[in-house]
Amino acid sequence: MTDIFSRRRFLLHTAALTAVPVLLPADPAVAAQELPDFPADVALYRSAYRNWVGEITADGLWACAPAGPDHVVAVVNWAWRHGWRVRARGASHGWSPLTVTPGTSSDAPVLLVDTAAHLTGLALESATSVRAGAGVTLEALLGYLEEHGLGVTAAPAPGNLTLGGALAVDAHGTAVPARGEQRLPGHTYGSLSNLVLSLTAVVWDETSGAYVLRTYDRDTADCAALLTHLGRSLVTEVVLRAGADTNLRCVSRTDIPAGELFAAPGTDGRTLASFLDRAGRVEAIWFAFTEFPWLKVWSVSPTRPLTSRHVRTPYNYPFSDNVPTPVADLVGRMVSDGAWYLAPVLGNAQYDVAALGLVATRSADIWGPSKNTLLYLRPTTLRIATNGYAVLTGRDQVQRVLAEFTAFYRERLAAYAARGRFPVNGSVEIRVTGLDDPADVGATGARTPLLSALGPRADRPDWNTAVWLNVLTLPGTPHAQEFLRELEQFVLRTFDGGYALSRVEWSKGWAYTDEAAWSDDDVLDSAVPGSIGQSAWGQASAVLDRLDPHGVFGNTFLDRLFR
């Protein structure tokens, strides 16, 4: 019994470390010595940095929380003059080293700028748009929109993401139009970046010889690079387009075998493509070494169906937001004792928790304003590492993508298990979205986000859909990097621009070697820029360099990626 409690405390302690940054007030004398002439009206403090899973950490970095955009400018100009680099921090809900790189020491000239403390303004700009600070959370933003009868088609599941962080990596939800469905004005089936009407960023001004605030409308060429900037800029505020809110019904089921859901195209049955045709909004969570995925299907439903439970707040799956004791015990044994062979047991435990939890909490059929079914993941959930890819293809090829990917995944997972290796102990997660069509925003001359994984290809107008593929596993799982490298190489060579094209999901894991993510030179130098398009990649890089010629907004990984 003691071991069980200690393992559960281990998980809770780990979650607590990564949930909230530790802030230590600065000794004024030390601050004056290490950061001379720092703006007097911006308080400094020491802070640890932790990414979502705690794989990238840095202790004792200098940090500040500017009270407004003008203070941000003052901080950035101080950093430029003193040879420091500025890294904006929101919720730190990411995996890739876009903010802080592994091995960053406390004496590195890196300054964290926390946006969530003060850059949180919200105000209606018009009847169909909202002005929002970069530090506002998605939960606060969607709640504000709901109060004014507005909403979005899709959004990421975690409500604690900051808007600035979400836009930097073209964050997305899951939605394509159901058969016969017409897109509503102010809505998009693409990423949140595609809803931006204008943005304000800190950029270099050659005339004044300093960094200044500048606002870019969506029709300007520079805005196209800033819409998804990967941390190579600092956006303080945006104006977002929004449309009329809709009521959504979300039905969960756990009774369809993976072999049926992900069957080859042309197969009769309950395929994922058939649910897309009916509802347009799906998500599949397929726990490792199980046969029945947890399938969520959202559908537009103006009035409450008779069997649906009306939900008035988000986060309606408490069994996935709070790690149940059986799951905590298994994870503890795997992490603490090295019992990685328990992966099949953990997968089945997670499936059982979901299947039983949906019934026990009456969450299998819920209905309400869009926010309350779109947001469902709290920071208290099990923290787990993930890779990520978007596969662009035609709507009629979605099932083929799924069939080929899941068949390879299943075969390799079984092959590893036959050798006593269990590289995956989480799940496969699948979502499907549209692309970033700039016409959706309703602004004349609107530009496409240059670096968005959902940017359309002009030479492939038949590609109108993206299939998002994620494989989740606990940090430190033996053989995970090797397995994920095999999976990545399969994705890159199978979806190579023929009937489909793969791109990386910026915030997740990619560019795998057998030892580490974000490290494969061929992927970094060739696959990533090539998938975006060399012209678009070069254009975005040139704009970001011009707007930040001193490299204030960057780190060693971004320097490597854009070299």
Side-chain angles (χ1 to χ4, degrees):
M1 184 65 71
T2 300
D3 285 345
I4 292 176
F5 284 124
S6 64
R7 288 170 186 140
R8 186 163 180 80
R9 282 196 298 270
F10 166 78
L11 289 175
L12 294 173
H13 176 65
T14 302
L17 282 177
T18 52
V20 180
V22 178
L23 311 179
L24 301 176
D27 182 317
V30 174
Q33 180 180 4
E34 296 193 20
L35 292 82
D37 306 316
F38 193 81
D41 49 0
V42 180
L44 283 164
Y45 45 89
R46 292 279 195 176
S47 174
Y49 174 85
R50 301 284 187 274
N51 75 340
W52 175 246
V53 287
E55 287 186 309
I56 300 177
T57 66
D59 293 326
L61 296 180
W62 285 106
C64 64
D70 290 339
H71 286 169
V72 174
V73 173
V75 167
V76 171
N77 277 310
W78 175 89
W80 156 58
R81 294 188 180 102
H82 290 80
W84 282 56
R85 307 192 91 169
V86 168
R87 310 308 300 136
R89 176 170 63 179
S92 300
H93 191 133
W95 291 259
S96 58
L98 300 181
T99 303
V100 171
T101 55
T104 300
S105 62
S106 61
D107 59 354
V110 174
L111 178 66
L112 297 174
V113 172
D114 287 323
T115 62
H118 302 296
L119 303 182
T120 57
L122 282 168
L124 282 186
E125 185 75 0
S126 71
T128 57
S129 63
V130 60
R131 182 176 295 273
V136 72
T137 65
L138 295 190
E139 182 177 356
L141 171 65
L142 297 183
Y144 183 83
L145 290 176
E146 181 185 319
E147 291 172 4
H148 294 86
L150 300 171
V152 298
T153 294
N160 70 317
L161 301 184
T162 59
L163 179 60
L167 296 176
V169 295
D170 67 295
H172 62 93
T174 181
V176 293
R179 291 300 182 197
E181 178 183 343
Q182 298 296 313
R183 182 185 62 83
L184 295 175
H187 286 259
T188 185
Y189 296 104
S191 72
L192 292 180
S193 295
N194 199 41
L195 292 173
V196 173
L197 286 166
S198 69
L199 59 82
T200 301
V202 183
V203 301
W204 178 255
D205 179 66
E206 194 65 40
T207 302
S208 62
Y211 285 86
V212 299
L213 289 171
R214 185 169 294 153
T215 298
Y216 298 89
D217 291 330
R218 182 65 182 270
D219 61 352
T220 60
D222 287 356
C223 188
L226 295 169
L227 290 167
T228 301
H229 59 73
L230 310 186
R232 288 201 58 197
S233 185
L234 200 163
V235 172
T236 62
E237 186 178 69
V238 299
V239 175
L240 286 181
R241 184 85 154 87
D245 198 13
T246 57
N247 290 325
L248 293 177
R249 181 190 192 186
C250 184
V251 174
S252 290
R253 52 191 309 170
T254 57
D255 63 333
I256 304 175
E260 181 179 357
L261 192 63
F262 307 131
T267 305
D268 292 334
R270 298 166 294 178
T271 64
L272 192 136
S274 72
F275 288 102
L276 283 180
D277 287 343
R278 272 180 260 166
R281 299 152 176 82
V282 302
E283 175 187 76
I285 300 176
W286 183 18
F287 298 110
F289 301 100
T290 67
E291 186 52 38
F292 294 89
W294 174 9
L295 176 68
K296 296 191 191 82
V297 180
W298 289 262
S299 56
V300 177
S301 183
T303 59
R304 183 180 70 85
L306 183 62
T307 59
S308 299
R309 179 169 67 90
H310 186 182
V311 290
R312 293 173 170 80
T313 58
Y315 312 114
N316 290 290
Y317 308 109
F319 52 87
S320 67
D321 283 333
N322 302 285
V323 184
T325 298
V327 172
D329 181 35
L330 286 167
V331 171
R333 290 179 64 187
M334 295 167 74
V335 174
S336 301
D337 303 339
W340 300 103
Y341 61 86
L342 291 173
V345 181
L346 177 61
N348 281 275
Q350 291 180 96
Y351 168 81
D352 289 342
V353 166
L356 296 173
L358 288 167
V359 175
T361 62
R362 297 176 57 231
S363 301
D365 185 353
I366 58 177
W367 171 90
S370 61
K371 166 181 65 69
N372 298 340
T373 61
L374 295 177
L375 300 180
Y376 64 82
L377 196 65
R378 293 185 185 272
T380 51
T381 192
L382 181 63
R383 305 227 171 176
I384 197 160
T386 180
N387 67 357
Y389 307 93
V391 179
L392 275 62
T393 193
R395 172 73 175 264
D396 60 344
Q397 297 295 322
V398 168
Q399 194 66 31
R400 179 181 174 186
V401 170
L402 294 173
E404 293 183 353
F405 173 78
T406 56
F408 182 83
Y409 164 82
R410 191 197 288 265
E411 184 275 326
R412 295 315 301 153
L413 194 65
Y416 271 67
R419 290 182 286 163
R421 298 177 176 182
F422 301 90
V424 179
N425 41 53
S427 60
V428 172
E429 296 190 356
I430 293 169
R431 299 170 183 87
V432 183
T433 68
L435 303 188
D436 283 342
D437 182 352
D440 292 351
V441 78
T444 303
R447 305 284 185 127
T448 299
L450 285 173
L451 296 179
S452 172
L454 294 179
R457 286 283 295 258
D459 59 335
R460 294 302 302 261
D462 55 317
W463 291 350
N464 56 7
T465 305
V467 181
W468 295 88
L469 305 170
N470 303 111
V471 177
L472 288 71
T473 197
L474 290 167
T477 299
H479 309 291
Q481 311 299 333
E482 175 188 350
F483 180 88
L484 295 174
R485 175 174 171 77
E486 282 192 51
L487 204 62
E488 178 173 79
Q489 293 301 311
F490 169 82
V491 168
L492 293 176
R493 69 174 178 265
T494 304
F495 312 123
D496 61 354
Y499 84 93
L501 175 71
S502 55
R503 291 172 172 166
V504 302
E505 185 171 3
W506 296 119
S507 64
K508 306 290 177 65
W510 39 274
Y512 286 92
T513 65
D514 287 345
E515 292 77 35
W518 316 295
S519 302
D520 183 273
D521 288 336
D522 287 340
V523 175
L524 293 170
D525 292 335
S526 179
V528 168
S531 70
I532 296 295
Q534 293 292 348
S535 176
W537 184 266
Q539 182 183 344
S541 181
V543 170
L544 295 169
D545 284 344
R546 176 167 49 80
L547 299 182
D548 180 27
H550 304 286
V552 173
F553 306 120
N555 61 32
T556 54
F557 174 73
L558 290 170
D559 295 344
R560 166 69 184 82
L561 182 63
F562 285 95
R563 71 181 183 184

